[in-house]
């Protein structure tokens, strides 16, 4: 047993733990790299769609951060939570807004992403879009919030 506080990553205690970590790392890489074809059967076999990194980034957040539209679409189809925030309380919608990823932004909104959610600094997706010069994303979010 470790002296680390609950919820913090701990070193693997045996080979099975190391294998599980390697599998998780592979899943995270598939999300980052747009490995939609390889990710689909794994999700269909029961891999949790909302598995997260030690920083709290979900597969959906990783796919969004790396502009992997088809992977985002697959993860949402498989039930990924569009409002699952990471350790900084950033959501995939915030990531899409900052990067002006309009198609991803629309997919997330259609899936129920909350445009009013705020990160640890109190910034919403609209605030972050404006701060990063993502004009079109800012306009779409503003229209969604007022409409």
């Amino acid at each position: 047993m470790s002296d680390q506080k609950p919820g913090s990553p701990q070193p693997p205690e045996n080979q099975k733990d190391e294998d599980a970590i390697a599998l998780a790392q592979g899943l995270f890489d598939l999300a980052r790299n747009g490995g939609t074809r390889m990710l689909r059967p794994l999700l269909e076999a029961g891999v949790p769609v909302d598995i997260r990194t030690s920083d709290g980034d979900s597969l959906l957040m990783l796919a969004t951060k790396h502009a992997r539209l088809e992977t985002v679409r697959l993860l949402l189809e498989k039930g990924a939570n569009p409002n699952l925030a990471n350790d900084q309380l950033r959501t995939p919608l915030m990531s899409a807004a900052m990067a002006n990823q309009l198609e991803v932004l629309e997919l997330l909104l259609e899936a129920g992403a909350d445009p009013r959610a705020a990160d640890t600094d109190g910034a919403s997706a609209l605030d972050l879009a404006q701060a990063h010069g993502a004009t079109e994303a800012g306009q779409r979010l503003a229209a969604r919030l007022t409409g």
Side-chain angles (χ1 to χ4, degrees), residues 26 29 49 87 90 92 123 138-139:
D29 288 343
V49 71
D87 292 353
R90 291 250 168 111
Q139 290 170 346

Side-chain angles (χ1 to χ4, degrees), residues 21-127:
I21 291 169
L23 173 63
Q25 288 298 333
L27 293 168
F28 301 144
D29 288 343
L30 287 172
R32 284 184 194 102
N33 298 321
T36 308
R37 280 194 344 235
M38 293 178 68
L39 198 53
R40 179 180 301 280
L42 295 169
L43 295 171
E44 290 172 353
V47 168
V49 71
D50 284 329
I51 188 172
R52 298 173 1 149
T53 67
S54 59
D55 294 329
D57 283 344
S58 65
L59 294 174
L60 183 58
M61 176 66 94
L62 295 172
T64 300
K65 281 182 177 181
H66 294 274
R68 306 300 183 186
L69 178 64
E70 291 309 312
T71 304
V72 167
R73 189 182 320 276
L74 168 69
L75 292 166
L76 291 170
E77 286 172 10
K78 296 299 179 186
N81 180 349
N83 293 306
L84 191 58
N86 65 15
D87 292 353
Q88 298 170 342
L89 299 182
R90 291 250 168 111
T91 64
L93 185 65
M94 293 173 188
S95 181
M98 287 188 291
N100 210 39
Q101 296 178 39
L102 303 181
E103 288 179 278
V104 172
L105 186 100
E106 289 299 326
L107 281 176
L108 292 166
L109 288 168
E110 289 170 17
D114 182 3
R116 290 179 174 81
D119 67 11
T120 54
D121 295 323
S124 69
L126 176 57
D127 298 329

Side-chain angles (χ1 to χ4, degrees), residues 4-10 54:
Q4 294 179 338
K5 64 183 178 181
S8 65
Q10 299 178 16
S54 59

